[in-house]
Amino acid sequence: METYFIEERDLQNLVTGASFLGTGGGGDPYIGGLMLKRELELVKKIEVITGTKYSNSKSFVLGSAMMGAPIVMIEKIPNSSEAKKALEVYSKFTGNEVEYITPLEMGGVNSTIPLITSAKTGIPVIDGDGMGRAFPELQMTTFYFYGVQPSPIVIFDERGNVSIVQGIDGYWSEKIARVITVRYGGSAYIALYGTSLSTYLNTAVLGTLSLALEIGELLNQMRLDDVLDLLKAMIMFKGKVVDVQRRVEKGFSKGNVIIDGIENISKQTMKIDFQNEFLVARINNNIVTTVPDLITVLDLFTLKPITTDRIKYGQKVMVIGIPSSVRLRSKEALRYIGPRAFGYDVDFIPLEERWKKVEN
Amino acid sequence: MMWISYHSKKGGRRLRIRIGIDIGSTHTDAVALEGKELIVADKVMTTPDLTTGLLNAISKVMEKLGERKNEVDTLMIGTTHGLNALHQGKGLNRVAIIRIGLPAGEGVPPVFDWPEQLASFVTYKYMVRGGHEYTGEEIVEMDEDKIRKIAEDIGGKVDAIAISSIFSVVNSSHEIRAKEILREKGINVPIVLSHEIGGIGLLERENSAILNALILKIFENLINKIKQLLSSLGIENVKLFFAQNDGTVASEDFIKNYPIFTVAGPVSNSIRGAHLLTGIKDAIVMDVGGTTTNVGVLHEGYPRESSSVVEIAKIRTNFRMPDIYTMALGGGTIVNKEKIGPESVGYALINKGIAWGGDTLTATDVAMIVKGITIDGTNPQLIINKFPPEYLLSIYTNMVGMWEDAIDLMKTSKDDVTVIVVGGGSIMVPEKLKGAMEVIRPQNAQYANAIGATLTKVGATMERTFSYDQITRENAIKSLIDEAKSLAIKAGALHTTIEVREIEEMQIPYLPGNSVKVKVKVVGEFS
C-alpha cells in the first residue's frame, strides 16, 4: 500500500474539505481540529495508507468515531484518549489485533477523531470511510449496506466506562448505542465495524481522506473549477438566501432554505430541505438532486462551506451538486439512505441524469 | 417626532443632569442631558491612551455646564479601553486559569490556541477533576485537595484567577466551591467564575473569563482616575455607569468585576441611540463615522445579537455581541480614480479634504457636491474646479451601492425596512436607498452614541440549558429570570422597575429529555 502523512500544515485543508463533503452537517469541526492540532504538535505526522494494492487481505480494520450531540462536545471536551481506549477494549474483547483505523464518515468532527486515535496508537489510518459524506446514524454506512455489522460496538467515555453492544442488526445497534451515549452524558467514543481488509476494500468508499485534503487545498486556493472537475460536480444554482425555516423534530434539526437566483437565473428559486445535512434540492419546485448525492452550499465569495445551522438570510451562496459514490447508489444502499429513507416519496435519480433532463 | 430638543422644558422643574461619553476612534463625544433634553454637546480628540481624551471630554462638558455641574447625577461611558488593552497586550493582569473537568477536557487545554503575546499573561494553567453533565449531575466529584494545593502554588504570584468548569451553565456549584476554597486558603485577588461571564461552549466561556481577568486592573485604574478628576472638579456623588455590549449599561461596581462586558459598548450605543432619538423599535441602523460605516440591526429597541462566533483579539469567545457589519466607508474615506477606500484621512479631513483646501478627494467632498451639502469652513467650488460632476456622480452612485448592499446583508427578510442613519458622516447618506422604506436622520444624529449611553437602561442577560423533562418549562424560565434580575440589581438596576425584555428558547438536537437552551434578558431603571 502507498503511504502519505498528515502534518500540521494539512489541518486547515482537512477541515475545509471535510466540511465540503459534510454537506452542511457533521457537527462543528472546530474542537476536533484543535485536538488534532495538539496531537500533531506531539507526534508531528500521522500515517495514512492509500492506494489499491495491499499486502495482507486478512489484516483487521476498525472504525473509530465520536457519537452524540455536538453541543455536549463543545462543553464536555474529550480527554483525547477515549477513542484509543475503545479500540484497545475492542481488540481485547474480540482478540483481533487492529492494523488499520478507518473513519466512518467525512464531515465535521468525525473526520478528525480517527486521526487522533491513530496519533495515540501509532496504528495508521486507511484512506476511506463508510459514507463518503456525513449521515446522522450509525447504520447509514456502506459497510452495513454490503453486509458488515457495526457490532460489536465498544462505547467508551472519559471516565472509563465501557459498554459493548451486540445488536441483532444496524437498526438495533444504533438504537441501543444511542441510549448508552445519553446515559454517559450525551457524548461517547466508539470502536465498531471491525472487519478484514479485503471486506473493507469491497465495502468502503475509498480515497475520501485524501479527497477531503485535496478539495480543502483547492478551495483554500479558490480553485473551484478544479474541485468541480475532480468530483464531476456542478454548480446547480447561484443566489441569495431569502428565507430559512428551522425546527427540531425527533431529535433532528430539520428545515429548509429558499434561495433566489441571481444573474441570468434571477427569476428562478431554489429550495433545499435539510435534516442536519442538506437532503433534497428543488428549482422552481422540480427536484434536481436528492440524497445520497451530495448538496453543498458555499459562500459565493469566500467559497467556504456553510453548515445547515449557520445558513441565514442575505448570504450569497453557490449550491454545488456532487454525484455520490456508486457504493451509495445501489439498491441495498438506497434502502437506508435514499430519499424514501428520509420520508420523501420519490425515487433516487442520479443528479447527472436529472440534469440531462433539465438541459434537454 | 423628535423629543430631544434645545428648548427648555415647560414647568421649569429641573431634573438631574446625566452626562454621556462615547470614545470613538477619532473623536470622543460628550453630551449632557436634562431628562431627555440635550443641554450641552461637545467633542475632543481621542487620545492613544483613550483615558486622557476621556478625562478631557469630562472636564470640557463640566466647564460648559458651569454652576449646573453640581446637578450632575450620573456619568455614562462607552469605551473600548478593554479591547485596546487586549489588542496591545499592555497593562494586563497576570492570570491563573483553573479548569474543572478532568477526566474530560484534557484534549484541548486552556489557552491552547491563543496568540502567544496574550497567552504569556496566563502564567499558571491547571486542570482539576470535576465538572458536570448536561443534566447537571457530576461527571466526577471535584478534587478539592488539588484546589488547595493550587492556592499554595499561586499565592502572591498572580493578579487574578479565572475558574471554568464543564457545564457550569447548567450547574455552577464546582466553580463556586473552588472559589470558596481559594478564599479559605487566603487568596485575596479577584476570582472570575466562567458561568457569570459566558454561555454554552467551554473553551469560549473559559476564554471570556480569562479575558475578563486580564483587564480587571485597567478598569480599576480607569474608574479611579475618573473619580479623582470629578473630585478635583469639586463634584461629588456622581454615579458612574459603563455601556455594555448588549446595549444596556451597568454600574461601576459591576463593571469593576466584569469589564469584558464593555468591549462592544460603543457600537451598541449607536444602535440604542438611534432608537432613543427616533422612538423606532425595529430598523437597520447605519452609523457613518470618519473611517467606517457600522451597520447593525435594531430589534425591539436593542441591538440584534450576532449568531456567529465572536473573536476578541483573535480569541474565540461566546459573548453576546451586536451583529455588526463594518465597511470601510466614512466621511474621510479616500477616493482614488474609481477606487473608494479602504484608506481614510480620518480626523485629518479638515486639513486634507479638497473642500477644505487640501489635496485628497474624500467621500465627504463627493457627497457635498452631489447632495449639495454645506459645511462650515469649506469651499465646494474647490471640488468643482478639480473634478467633473459626472465623475463625482458616478463615485457617489457607487458609495450609495455600498450602503445598499450592506443594508441588504443585514436584513432578515425581503421586505423593505426603515433605515436610521447616525454618526458624523450621516449627512452623506441619501434620502432614498434601495431596500429602505424610509431613511431617517434624526436631529443630533452625530451624538447618537453618547446619547445612547446616557438614556439607556441597566440590563443583564443570562443563558442556561435545561431539560424540560426534569424541570417544568415554567420553573426553568422563572429561575433564569430570577437569576438575571439579581444580576441586574448587582449592575445597578432598581428592583421594582426590572422587566423582562426577551426570552429565547432553542431546542437542542441529538439530546433527549427535551433539552432546551434558554436565554433571558432583563432591563430596569437606575436605582
Side-chain angles (χ1 to χ4, degrees):
Chain A
M1 289 188 116
E2 296 156 38
T3 274
Y4 70 88
F5 294 93
I6 289 185
E7 296 169 35
E8 199 180 327
R9 64 186 155 95
D10 302 317
L11 252 175
Q12 193 50 49
N13 292 339
L14 178 68
V15 168
T16 306
S19 303
F20 184 92
L21 294 172
T23 63
D28 189 344
Y30 178 68
I31 299 272
L34 285 184
M35 285 164 60
L36 183 55
K37 187 175 173 188
R38 183 154 171 266
E39 295 306 324
L40 283 166
E41 282 179 2
L42 299 171
V43 303
K44 304 297 174 213
K45 55 187 183 179
I46 294 166
E47 188 181 2
V48 177
I49 306 292
T50 188
T52 50
K53 287 184 193 150
Y54 48 94
S55 46
N56 181 1
S57 64
K58 290 203 174 72
S59 297
F60 197 78
V61 184
L62 184 64
S64 176
M66 178 258 180
M67 180 170 191
I71 195 164
V72 170
M73 199 183 175
I74 64 166
E75 189 65 45
K76 197 168 75 170
I77 295 168
N79 66 34
S80 272
S81 55
E82 295 95 336
K84 168 200 163 208
K85 289 186 178 145
L87 180 147
E88 287 166 356
V89 171
Y90 187 100
S91 248
K92 215 167 158 192
F93 179 69
T94 64
N96 287 298
E97 191 195 330
V98 180
E99 287 168 72
Y100 301 109
I101 294 165
T102 177
L104 290 197
E105 66 178 335
M106 267 309 130
V109 69
N110 269 339
S111 45
T112 52
I113 296 287
L115 294 165
I116 293 161
T117 310
S118 169
K120 292 271 187 204
T121 57
I123 302 170
V125 174
I126 203 160
D127 187 6
D129 75 304
M131 297 180 185
R133 50 169 293 160
F135 280 123
E137 295 179 18
L138 281 188
Q139 78 282 11
M140 295 177 170
T141 68
T142 50
F143 311 138
Y144 185 61
F145 312 149
Y146 301 109
V148 185
Q149 284 292 331
S151 297
I153 305 174
V154 175
I155 312 174
F156 206 92
D157 77 6
E158 67 286 338
R159 278 163 290 229
N161 289 311
V162 180
S163 308
I164 299 175
V165 170
Q166 186 89 52
I168 52 165
D169 59 18
Y171 168 79
W172 279 101
S173 297
E174 156 74 27
K175 211 163 132 163
I176 298 164
R178 205 159 287 276
V179 171
I180 293 169
T181 298
V182 167
R183 292 304 305 151
Y184 279 7
S187 67
Y189 300 83
I190 53 178
L192 70 173
Y193 280 117
T195 189
S196 70
L197 182 62
S198 60
T199 306
Y200 177 86
L201 293 172
N202 285 326
T203 58
V205 185
L206 294 171
T208 47
L209 198 52
S210 48
L211 184 66
L213 284 165
E214 197 174 349
I215 294 169
E217 188 176 359
L218 292 170
L219 274 187
N220 288 334
Q221 293 171 4
M222 306 293 282
R223 287 162 58 192
L224 181 65
D225 286 347
D226 292 337
V227 175
L228 299 180
D229 284 349
L230 181 70
L231 298 169
K232 298 190 171 55
M234 53 188 298
I235 298 172
M236 300 193 291
F237 208 75
K238 279 184 192 177
K240 184 182 136 181
V241 177
V242 294
D243 197 23
V244 183
Q245 308 273 347
R246 260 183 249 279
R247 62 194 183 278
V248 173
E249 211 175 89
K250 289 181 190 154
F252 293 111
S253 164
K254 291 187 176 184
N256 59 64
V257 180
I258 312 254
I259 305 163
D260 275 358
I262 48 171
E263 295 165 12
N264 55 345
I265 51 166
S266 62
K267 291 207 169 62
Q268 300 187 20
T269 298
M270 176 171 263
K271 182 180 171 202
I272 315 176
D273 293 353
F274 59 80
Q275 178 184 314
N276 300 342
E277 286 85 30
F278 295 111
L279 295 180
V280 172
R282 298 179 179 83
I283 294 179
N284 303 336
N285 285 325
N286 301 312
I287 291 181
V288 290
T289 310
T290 71
V291 272
D293 284 347
L294 288 74
I295 300 163
T296 286
V297 179
L298 303 181
D299 182 286
L300 188 61
F301 306 109
T302 65
L303 303 184
K304 292 275 175 286
I306 302 174
T307 56
T308 51
D309 50 354
R310 290 247 189 260
I311 198 158
K312 62 175 188 181
Y313 174 92
Q315 282 168 333
K316 302 255 176 26
V317 299
M318 187 189 296
V319 184
I320 313 286
I322 306 146
S324 51
S325 154
V326 287
R327 290 213 164 136
L328 294 176
R329 288 175 164 194
S330 70
K331 217 171 123 192
E332 295 83 6
L334 291 174
R335 252 183 76 198
Y336 299 97
I337 52 166
R340 288 184 204 283
F342 290 93
Y344 294 90
D345 193 20
V346 294
D347 290 325
F348 169 73
I349 301 171
L351 81 93
E352 56 275 24
E353 281 172 38
R354 286 193 187 273
W355 280 91
K356 229 179 267 163
K357 256 191 249 166
V358 174
E359 278 157 24
N360 285 345
Chain B
M1 190 192 77
M2 302 304 157
W3 39 259
I4 290 193
S5 72
Y6 290 96
H7 306 298
S8 61
K9 283 177 83 81
K10 276 184 204 162
R13 189 179 74 86
R14 280 188 165 183
L15 296 159
R16 304 289 286 175
I17 295 171
R18 287 177 183 181
I19 292 176
I21 299 194
D22 175 74
I23 305 179
S25 53
T26 47
H27 290 112
T28 298
D29 291 323
V31 298
L33 278 80
E34 184 182 12
K36 288 172 177 177
E37 227 177 276
L38 184 64
I39 51 175
V40 170
D42 212 326
K43 59 174 69 198
V44 301
M45 299 308 293
T46 296
T47 53
D49 69 340
L50 306 185
T51 306
T52 312
L54 168 67
L55 298 178
N56 286 345
I58 297 173
S59 306
K60 215 152 169 207
V61 83
M62 291 295 181
E63 192 184 311
K64 279 202 176 176
L65 280 170
E67 277 311 299
R68 295 199 68 190
K69 73 180 184 196
N70 294 315
E71 294 168 44
V72 174
D73 173 46
T74 43
L75 180 57
M76 322 273 186
I77 295 164
T79 179
T80 52
H81 267 84
L83 201 55
N84 275 35
L86 291 170
H87 279 304
Q88 296 170 358
K90 276 189 195 154
L92 302 173
N93 278 334
R94 291 167 305 160
V95 172
I97 168 68
I98 303 171
R99 180 195 288 174
I100 304 161
L102 290 182
E106 220 179 345
V108 187
V111 199
F112 174 66
D113 209 26
W114 280 39
E116 232 169 89
Q117 198 200 7
L118 279 177
S120 70
F121 287 92
V122 186
T123 44
Y124 291 87
K125 300 181 268 285
Y126 298 97
M127 287 192 264
V128 178
R129 286 176 70 82
H132 291 85
E133 304 284 0
Y134 76 95
T135 53
E137 300 160 277
E138 280 184 349
I139 300 174
V140 292
E141 212 175 295
M142 184 166 71
D143 185 350
E144 301 199 350
D145 286 340
K146 179 80 187 279
I147 309 269
R148 287 187 193 98
K149 283 200 193 90
I150 292 171
E152 286 162 19
D153 223 17
I154 59 178
K157 295 179 191 155
V158 293
D159 306 309
I161 299 165
I163 301 176
S164 64
S165 104
I166 291 179
F167 274 115
S168 62
V169 287
V170 179
N171 187 333
S172 56
S173 60
H174 284 181
E175 287 186 2
I176 292 167
R177 178 68 192 129
K179 181 176 172 177
E180 271 173 22
I181 295 170
L182 294 174
R183 290 282 183 247
E184 282 164 17
K185 294 287 287 180
I187 298 284
N188 56 10
V189 297
I191 298 173
V192 182
L193 304 184
S194 82
H195 76 277
E196 295 173 348
I197 304 278
I200 201 140
L202 176 70
L203 289 181
E204 291 83 357
R205 186 172 68 251
E206 176 180 279
N207 286 346
S208 308
I210 301 172
L211 290 175
N212 190 68
L214 286 170
I215 60 171
L216 286 165
K217 192 164 58 188
I218 309 255
F219 274 77
E220 200 189 321
N221 289 343
L222 176 65
I223 290 166
N224 286 340
K225 281 190 178 155
I226 295 168
K227 292 204 148 164
Q228 276 166 22
L229 173 74
L230 291 175
S231 108
S232 76
L233 292 169
I235 304 162
E236 305 295 338
N237 298 326
V238 174
K239 282 181 265 175
L240 203 53
F241 288 85
F242 287 88
Q244 304 196 91
N245 306 337
D246 66 355
T248 61
V249 296
S251 68
E252 61 172 283
D253 288 337
F254 183 80
I255 292 302
K256 226 180 220 171
N257 295 320
Y258 307 105
I260 201 72
F261 288 146
T262 64
V263 287
V267 274
S268 292
N269 278 346
S270 71
I271 298 171
R272 279 290 290 163
H275 163 63
L276 295 163
L277 289 172
T278 59
I280 294 168
K281 282 186 171 172
D282 296 277
I284 298 273
V285 177
M286 291 211 301
D287 182 358
V288 189
T291 53
T292 57
T293 299
N294 285 330
V295 187
V297 181
L298 184 57
H299 174 67
E300 300 271 310
Y302 286 85
R304 181 179 78 195
E305 286 167 14
S306 171
S307 58
S308 50
V309 173
V310 174
E311 284 198 354
I312 295 174
K314 300 213 167 105
I315 292 166
R316 265 166 86 111
T317 70
N318 54 10
F319 283 120
R320 301 167 293 269
M321 298 286 245
D323 189 5
I324 299 286
Y325 175 73
T326 301
M327 58 176 174
L329 177 56
T333 295
I334 296 169
V335 178
N336 188 358
K337 303 209 175 81
E338 298 307 314
K339 198 168 146 274
I340 304 168
E343 302 81 10
S344 167
V345 297
Y347 55 81
L349 181 64
I350 52 169
N351 301 319
K352 294 193 169 164
I354 304 283
W356 285 267
D359 58 2
T360 311
L361 184 65
T362 66
T364 305
D365 292 311
V366 173
M368 277 176 75
I369 301 305
V370 178
K371 274 198 77 194
I373 308 163
T374 50
I375 299 174
D376 287 347
T378 63
N379 180 4
Q381 193 60 41
L382 294 171
I383 308 166
I384 297 166
N385 293 349
K386 267 187 138 163
F387 299 95
E390 56 272 23
Y391 167 70
L392 297 174
L393 183 63
S394 91
I395 292 291
Y396 187 71
T397 308
N398 290 339
M399 283 165 54
V400 172
M402 287 168 76
W403 284 317
E404 287 172 341
D405 284 348
I407 291 169
D408 192 51
L409 200 69
M410 297 304 286
K411 281 200 308 192
T412 49
S413 82
K414 269 198 235 194
D415 305 330
D416 283 358
V417 288
T418 299
V419 174
I420 306 171
V421 289
V422 296
S426 60
I427 44 164
M428 301 193 298
V429 179
E431 277 68 40
K432 278 203 165 69
L433 285 168
K434 201 168 72 191
M437 218 151 45
E438 52 182 338
V439 179
I440 297 169
R441 185 182 306 98
Q443 196 184 343
N444 299 319
Q446 68 272 36
Y447 296 114
N449 292 29
I451 291 170
T454 319
L455 290 178
T456 199
K457 294 184 176 185
V458 178
T461 309
M462 288 307 269
E463 186 182 288
R464 295 280 181 264
T465 52
F466 297 97
S467 159
Y468 284 172
D469 283 1
Q470 292 182 2
I471 178 171
T472 63
R473 176 170 180 267
E474 205 184 9
N475 286 342
I477 292 175
K478 194 185 166 297
S479 75
L480 197 58
I481 290 173
D482 289 345
E483 239 184 298
K485 278 188 176 170
S486 71
L487 193 65
I489 291 165
K490 263 164 84 183
L494 185 62
H495 74 278
T496 50
T497 64
I498 297 175
E499 51 169 331
V500 177
R501 286 287 324 177
E502 219 177 282
I503 298 174
E504 191 187 285
E505 285 175 276
M506 216 184 81
Q507 280 197 287
I508 302 172
Y510 284 113
L511 276 189
N514 216 345
S515 295
V516 182
K517 186 171 92 175
V518 188
K519 195 179 83 181
V520 169
K521 177 178 177 147
V522 301
V523 295
E525 303 293 343
F526 302 101
S527 60

